[in-house]
Amino acid sequence: MNIKKIQELQQWMKANQIDLSYVSHPSSIAYLSGFESDPHERVLALFIPSDKEPFLFTPAMEVESAKAAGFTFDVIGYQDTQDPWQIIVQEITSRYSVPQRLALEKNALVVDRFERLIQAFPGTDFSADITNVLQKMQLIKTKEELNTLLEAGNWADVAFEIGFKALKENVSEQEIVAEIEYQLKRRGVAKMSFDTLVLFGANAANPHGTPGALQLQNNQLALFDLGVIWKGYCSDATRTVSFKEPTKQQITVYETVLQAQKAAQAAVKPGISAQELDKIARDIITDAGFEQYFTHRLGHGIGTTVHEYPSIVAGNDLIIEEGMCFSIEPGIYIPNEVGVRIEDCVYVTNDGCIPLTQTPKELNVID
Ligand code: MN
Ligand code: MN
């Protein structure tokens, strides 16, 4: 449980005349309560009043796990035969009184749950949103969080090694995905942070393509984009390697992306803005004539979720500060021809940054 962050939220609530907050995103709940869980369609909720003790609401079968995870306030469970909202409303009114202003996590609340709250508390003001407060709270990582992020990054490096080793002529994208995930699971990694991407040749020209039965041929590039969830924290990294000798075009595209990635990463330090970082990488790609093929932002924050605040994108004048973590992932995608992306996530230090993954970025030619 992160009591300091719960108190920080309570301070914000007091300053904004909010008497109760309903935290609903599983990753926000994990961040504040220490309890990681995917509730599927069941209700998992953390209710935090401004001046009393919070309570966690979970399916009955999860109550003991939530306590074991270190949440020391009350954990209220509900059975599948019960109406969770009846219990929630009872708990709120008996513990605190009817809320005047109840803040929601608006980017993570479905409409039918919101409607149940409106029915239960018809006079309550639900206009306040805690989404940004929670995102900003998670923006600056502690040294302890950095250590966990480095461990998660190390597993991504292990995954690359497994994947590179498994490359051979006519192997399919899915076979490589299966090999990576099988080996990691055997070594104790419970979960990937997103579906592992292994894309060959022209298939890599789709930045979020789907690995399938496509088989690897000589002189193709293979793109690996992957990460794990380790102790509640995510990794996310991309490497593109060449299977046998690369063509001239592949080398040109690769070297451009590499130069853009390295230049942006070298520029990371407190005081620079998110949009300046994006521009450094984009200018290099533009100067090489590939501007139209770099079709996404430079990067995104990472932590308890794989995509979080801040967005490293044109138009975001957010000033980078020590402790922020985000990806630097330029790419060039020429449809039906070639796709290259190189991605490291970094932790901002007082005068630069530490990459969370260490796999070398110079073009790796695999024979
Ligand atoms: Mn990413
Ligand atoms: Mn990625």
mmCIF file of all heavy atoms in Angstrom, residues 249 252-254 256-257 282 284-295 331-334 338:
data_model
loop_
_atom_site.group_PDB
_atom_site.id
_atom_site.type_symbol
_atom_site.label_atom_id
_atom_site.label_comp_id
_atom_site.label_asym_id
_atom_site.label_seq_id
_atom_site.Cartn_x
_atom_site.Cartn_y
_atom_site.Cartn_z
ATOM 1 N N GLN A 249 18.578 -0.720 -49.057
ATOM 2 C CA GLN A 249 17.433 0.045 -48.563
ATOM 3 C C GLN A 249 17.214 -0.226 -47.068
ATOM 4 O O GLN A 249 16.984 0.686 -46.282
ATOM 5 C CB GLN A 249 16.157 -0.335 -49.338
ATOM 6 C CG GLN A 249 14.953 0.519 -48.909
ATOM 7 C CD GLN A 249 13.615 -0.156 -49.188
ATOM 8 O OE1 GLN A 249 13.492 -1.384 -49.102
ATOM 9 N NE2 GLN A 249 12.618 0.630 -49.535
ATOM 10 N N THR A 252 19.793 1.663 -45.066
ATOM 11 C CA THR A 252 19.519 3.116 -45.035
ATOM 12 C C THR A 252 18.399 3.421 -44.037
ATOM 13 O O THR A 252 18.521 4.332 -43.210
ATOM 14 C CB THR A 252 19.088 3.602 -46.438
ATOM 15 O OG1 THR A 252 20.083 3.204 -47.359
ATOM 16 C CG2 THR A 252 18.925 5.104 -46.468
ATOM 17 N N VAL A 253 17.317 2.670 -44.128
ATOM 18 C CA VAL A 253 16.176 2.898 -43.231
ATOM 19 C C VAL A 253 16.610 2.645 -41.791
ATOM 20 O O VAL A 253 16.339 3.451 -40.890
ATOM 21 C CB VAL A 253 14.987 1.994 -43.635
ATOM 22 C CG1 VAL A 253 13.904 2.020 -42.565
ATOM 23 C CG2 VAL A 253 14.410 2.433 -44.980
ATOM 24 N N TYR A 254 17.303 1.548 -41.573
ATOM 25 C CA TYR A 254 17.713 1.192 -40.200
ATOM 26 C C TYR A 254 18.611 2.275 -39.598
ATOM 27 O O TYR A 254 18.405 2.721 -38.473
ATOM 28 C CB TYR A 254 18.440 -0.164 -40.173
ATOM 29 C CG TYR A 254 18.649 -0.640 -38.759
ATOM 30 C CD1 TYR A 254 17.700 -1.456 -38.155
ATOM 31 C CD2 TYR A 254 19.742 -0.222 -38.002
ATOM 32 C CE1 TYR A 254 17.848 -1.842 -36.828
ATOM 33 C CE2 TYR A 254 19.893 -0.602 -36.685
ATOM 34 C CZ TYR A 254 18.947 -1.423 -36.108
ATOM 35 O OH TYR A 254 19.091 -1.791 -34.795
ATOM 36 N N THR A 256 18.893 5.351 -40.308
ATOM 37 C CA THR A 256 18.158 6.596 -40.054
ATOM 38 C C THR A 256 17.397 6.499 -38.730
ATOM 39 O O THR A 256 17.437 7.410 -37.898
ATOM 40 C CB THR A 256 17.177 6.890 -41.215
ATOM 41 O OG1 THR A 256 17.905 6.899 -42.441
ATOM 42 C CG2 THR A 256 16.478 8.219 -41.017
ATOM 43 N N VAL A 257 16.701 5.384 -38.540
ATOM 44 C CA VAL A 257 15.934 5.203 -37.292
ATOM 45 C C VAL A 257 16.899 5.173 -36.102
ATOM 46 O O VAL A 257 16.641 5.797 -35.062
ATOM 47 C CB VAL A 257 15.095 3.906 -37.344
ATOM 48 C CG1 VAL A 257 14.407 3.663 -35.999
ATOM 49 C CG2 VAL A 257 14.049 3.980 -38.455
ATOM 50 N N ARG A 282 12.305 13.399 -35.179
ATOM 51 C CA ARG A 282 11.546 13.579 -36.423
ATOM 52 C C ARG A 282 12.363 14.355 -37.464
ATOM 53 O O ARG A 282 12.298 14.059 -38.662
ATOM 54 C CB ARG A 282 10.215 14.285 -36.115
ATOM 55 C CG ARG A 282 9.123 14.031 -37.146
ATOM 56 C CD ARG A 282 7.745 14.438 -36.617
ATOM 57 N NE ARG A 282 7.376 13.683 -35.419
ATOM 58 C CZ ARG A 282 6.783 12.490 -35.450
ATOM 59 N NH1 ARG A 282 6.461 11.937 -36.601
ATOM 60 N NH2 ARG A 282 6.512 11.850 -34.334
ATOM 61 N N ILE A 284 15.551 14.251 -37.963
ATOM 62 C CA ILE A 284 16.540 13.363 -38.592
ATOM 63 C C ILE A 284 15.856 12.495 -39.657
ATOM 64 O O ILE A 284 16.371 12.313 -40.764
ATOM 65 C CB ILE A 284 17.229 12.501 -37.512
ATOM 66 C CG1 ILE A 284 18.152 13.405 -36.676
ATOM 67 C CG2 ILE A 284 17.993 11.326 -38.130
ATOM 68 C CD1 ILE A 284 18.709 12.768 -35.437
ATOM 69 N N ILE A 285 14.673 12.023 -39.318
ATOM 70 C CA ILE A 285 13.931 11.175 -40.262
ATOM 71 C C ILE A 285 13.444 12.004 -41.458
ATOM 72 O O ILE A 285 13.482 11.545 -42.605
ATOM 73 C CB ILE A 285 12.781 10.463 -39.512
ATOM 74 C CG1 ILE A 285 13.398 9.395 -38.595
ATOM 75 C CG2 ILE A 285 11.768 9.856 -40.481
ATOM 76 C CD1 ILE A 285 12.426 8.693 -37.677
ATOM 77 N N THR A 286 13.050 13.244 -41.185
ATOM 78 C CA THR A 286 12.615 14.143 -42.269
ATOM 79 C C THR A 286 13.778 14.456 -43.201
ATOM 80 O O THR A 286 13.640 14.392 -44.428
ATOM 81 C CB THR A 286 12.052 15.447 -41.665
ATOM 82 O OG1 THR A 286 10.967 15.105 -40.813
ATOM 83 C CG2 THR A 286 11.562 16.406 -42.745
ATOM 84 N N ASP A 287 14.933 14.787 -42.621
ATOM 85 C CA ASP A 287 16.103 15.124 -43.438
ATOM 86 C C ASP A 287 16.511 13.961 -44.338
ATOM 87 O O ASP A 287 17.061 14.177 -45.424
ATOM 88 C CB ASP A 287 17.288 15.524 -42.548
ATOM 89 C CG ASP A 287 17.063 16.887 -41.899
ATOM 90 O OD1 ASP A 287 16.132 17.603 -42.332
ATOM 91 O OD2 ASP A 287 17.795 17.232 -40.948
ATOM 92 N N ALA A 288 16.243 12.738 -43.894
ATOM 93 C CA ALA A 288 16.600 11.572 -44.711
ATOM 94 C C ALA A 288 15.515 11.269 -45.747
ATOM 95 O O ALA A 288 15.646 10.318 -46.525
ATOM 96 C CB ALA A 288 16.830 10.370 -43.806
ATOM 97 N N GLY A 289 14.435 12.055 -45.724
ATOM 98 C CA GLY A 289 13.383 11.882 -46.740
ATOM 99 C C GLY A 289 12.292 10.890 -46.360
ATOM 100 O O GLY A 289 11.482 10.504 -47.203
ATOM 101 N N PHE A 290 12.240 10.483 -45.092
ATOM 102 C CA PHE A 290 11.261 9.464 -44.691
ATOM 103 C C PHE A 290 10.131 10.013 -43.812
ATOM 104 O O PHE A 290 9.441 9.251 -43.147
ATOM 105 C CB PHE A 290 11.966 8.324 -43.937
ATOM 106 C CG PHE A 290 12.961 7.553 -44.771
ATOM 107 C CD1 PHE A 290 14.319 7.573 -44.452
ATOM 108 C CD2 PHE A 290 12.540 6.808 -45.855
ATOM 109 C CE1 PHE A 290 15.247 6.853 -45.209
ATOM 110 C CE2 PHE A 290 13.452 6.083 -46.621
ATOM 111 C CZ PHE A 290 14.813 6.102 -46.293
ATOM 112 N N GLU A 291 9.960 11.316 -43.814
ATOM 113 C CA GLU A 291 9.016 11.972 -42.910
ATOM 114 C C GLU A 291 7.630 11.313 -42.899
ATOM 115 O O GLU A 291 7.047 11.075 -41.849
ATOM 116 C CB GLU A 291 8.880 13.444 -43.333
ATOM 117 C CG GLU A 291 7.960 14.236 -42.433
ATOM 118 C CD GLU A 291 7.788 15.670 -42.944
ATOM 119 O OE1 GLU A 291 8.159 15.943 -44.118
ATOM 120 O OE2 GLU A 291 7.281 16.499 -42.185
ATOM 121 N N GLN A 292 7.125 11.028 -44.137
ATOM 122 C CA GLN A 292 5.759 10.517 -44.225
ATOM 123 C C GLN A 292 5.627 9.091 -43.672
ATOM 124 O O GLN A 292 4.516 8.596 -43.504
ATOM 125 C CB GLN A 292 5.281 10.556 -45.680
ATOM 126 C CG GLN A 292 5.866 9.453 -46.533
ATOM 127 C CD GLN A 292 6.005 9.855 -47.979
ATOM 128 O OE1 GLN A 292 6.964 10.509 -48.400
ATOM 129 N NE2 GLN A 292 5.030 9.433 -48.772
ATOM 130 N N TYR A 293 6.761 8.442 -43.438
ATOM 131 C CA TYR A 293 6.707 7.044 -42.977
ATOM 132 C C TYR A 293 6.908 6.902 -41.465
ATOM 133 O O TYR A 293 6.992 5.793 -40.952
ATOM 134 C CB TYR A 293 7.758 6.211 -43.711
ATOM 135 C CG TYR A 293 7.593 6.244 -45.219
ATOM 136 C CD1 TYR A 293 8.597 6.738 -46.044
ATOM 137 C CD2 TYR A 293 6.412 5.778 -45.815
ATOM 138 C CE1 TYR A 293 8.438 6.767 -47.425
ATOM 139 C CE2 TYR A 293 6.242 5.809 -47.197
ATOM 140 C CZ TYR A 293 7.259 6.306 -47.996
ATOM 141 O OH TYR A 293 7.098 6.336 -49.355
ATOM 142 N N PHE A 294 7.048 8.020 -40.783
ATOM 143 C CA PHE A 294 7.129 7.989 -39.307
ATOM 144 C C PHE A 294 5.764 8.469 -38.818
ATOM 145 O O PHE A 294 5.528 9.647 -38.657
ATOM 146 C CB PHE A 294 8.276 8.895 -38.831
ATOM 147 C CG PHE A 294 8.453 8.983 -37.331
ATOM 148 C CD1 PHE A 294 7.903 8.036 -36.460
ATOM 149 C CD2 PHE A 294 9.204 10.012 -36.776
ATOM 150 C CE1 PHE A 294 8.080 8.127 -35.089
ATOM 151 C CE2 PHE A 294 9.393 10.112 -35.397
ATOM 152 C CZ PHE A 294 8.815 9.169 -34.554
ATOM 153 N N THR A 295 4.886 7.516 -38.588
ATOM 154 C CA THR A 295 3.452 7.829 -38.487
ATOM 155 C C THR A 295 2.920 7.879 -37.060
ATOM 156 O O THR A 295 1.706 7.853 -36.853
ATOM 157 C CB THR A 295 2.655 6.773 -39.282
ATOM 158 O OG1 THR A 295 3.171 5.480 -38.933
ATOM 159 C CG2 THR A 295 2.792 6.985 -40.771
ATOM 160 N N GLY A 331 10.253 5.209 -35.714
ATOM 161 C CA GLY A 331 10.145 4.110 -36.671
ATOM 162 C C GLY A 331 9.956 4.651 -38.072
ATOM 163 O O GLY A 331 9.553 5.803 -38.258
ATOM 164 N N ILE A 332 10.286 3.836 -39.049
ATOM 165 C CA ILE A 332 10.002 4.156 -40.454
ATOM 166 C C ILE A 332 9.286 2.936 -41.027
ATOM 167 O O ILE A 332 9.788 1.809 -40.927
ATOM 168 C CB ILE A 332 11.306 4.452 -41.247
ATOM 169 C CG1 ILE A 332 11.962 5.746 -40.730
ATOM 170 C CG2 ILE A 332 11.006 4.568 -42.748
ATOM 171 C CD1 ILE A 332 13.311 6.059 -41.386
ATOM 172 N N TYR A 333 8.108 3.192 -41.600
ATOM 173 C CA TYR A 333 7.277 2.097 -42.117
ATOM 174 C C TYR A 333 6.905 2.400 -43.563
ATOM 175 O O TYR A 333 6.074 3.264 -43.820
ATOM 176 C CB TYR A 333 6.011 1.953 -41.270
ATOM 177 C CG TYR A 333 6.305 2.019 -39.775
ATOM 178 C CD1 TYR A 333 6.198 3.221 -39.069
ATOM 179 C CD2 TYR A 333 6.740 0.889 -39.082
ATOM 180 C CE1 TYR A 333 6.507 3.299 -37.721
ATOM 181 C CE2 TYR A 333 7.040 0.957 -37.730
ATOM 182 C CZ TYR A 333 6.933 2.163 -37.059
ATOM 183 O OH TYR A 333 7.240 2.248 -35.729
ATOM 184 N N ILE A 334 7.572 1.729 -44.493
ATOM 185 C CA ILE A 334 7.267 1.928 -45.908
ATOM 186 C C ILE A 334 6.359 0.773 -46.335
ATOM 187 O O ILE A 334 6.802 -0.380 -46.366
ATOM 188 C CB ILE A 334 8.558 1.963 -46.760
ATOM 189 C CG1 ILE A 334 9.515 3.034 -46.192
ATOM 190 C CG2 ILE A 334 8.225 2.244 -48.224
ATOM 191 C CD1 ILE A 334 10.855 3.111 -46.903
ATOM 192 N N VAL A 338 9.212 -2.293 -46.063
ATOM 193 C CA VAL A 338 10.086 -2.502 -44.914
ATOM 194 C C VAL A 338 9.572 -1.713 -43.703
ATOM 195 O O VAL A 338 8.961 -0.656 -43.863
ATOM 196 C CB VAL A 338 11.543 -2.085 -45.274
ATOM 197 C CG1 VAL A 338 11.623 -0.608 -45.607
ATOM 198 C CG2 VAL A 338 12.522 -2.436 -44.171
#
